[in-house]
């Protein structure tokens, strides 16, 4: 079964109805009907929460966080293997700390990383790039 991992940028694309939102919605619909697997990294939960809070206020941030948790997807949380893989990505590539965790989550799950973040481009892993802004 095909497996996708949604980066923070994919989740915000859906929330803000940006170009590419239809693709993210399709992946989630397929996941909801168990035709594909879909997951996200715990760091994306935090990033969505703080970014929406910063731009729209705490209540909107909390709502965005709750909405993410209700999506038909699995959330990957920290493990020793994930930590080591994220550290390796951070040491080898010019990635933010959050992106290192997200890339490691996708790699360990053998998932296609869905994003609109050019930082991921140098990584040798399956990726689906959404339209950049």
């Amino acid at each position: 079964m095909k497996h996708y991992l949604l980066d923070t940028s994919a989740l915000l694309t859906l929330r803000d109805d940006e170009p590419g939102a239809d693709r993210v919605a399709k992946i989630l619909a397929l996941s909801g009907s168990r035709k594909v697997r879909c997951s996200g990294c715990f760091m994306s939960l935090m990033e969505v929460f703080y970014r929406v809070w910063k731009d729209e206020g705490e209540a909107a941030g909390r709502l965005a966080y709750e909405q993410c948790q209700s999506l038909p997807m699995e959330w990957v949380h920290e493990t020793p293997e994930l930590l080591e893989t994220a550290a390796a990505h951070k040491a080898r590539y010019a990635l933010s700390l959050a992106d290192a965790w997200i890339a490691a989550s996708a790699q360990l799950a053998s998932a296609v990383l869905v994003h609109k973040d050019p930082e991921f481009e140098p990584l040798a892993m399956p990726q689906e790039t959404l339209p950049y802004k």
Side-chain angles (χ1 to χ4, degrees), residues 95-108:
L95 295 172
S96 70
L97 188 64
D99 285 349
W101 283 97
I102 292 164
S105 297
Q107 179 184 341
L108 291 177

Side-chain angles (χ1 to χ4, degrees), residues 4 9-10 21 26 59 67 75 78-80 83 87 106 114 126 130:
Y4 295 93
S9 61
K26 182 176 181 179
Q67 289 170 330
W75 290 100
E78 190 270 337
T79 65
L83 184 145
V114 180
L130 300 169

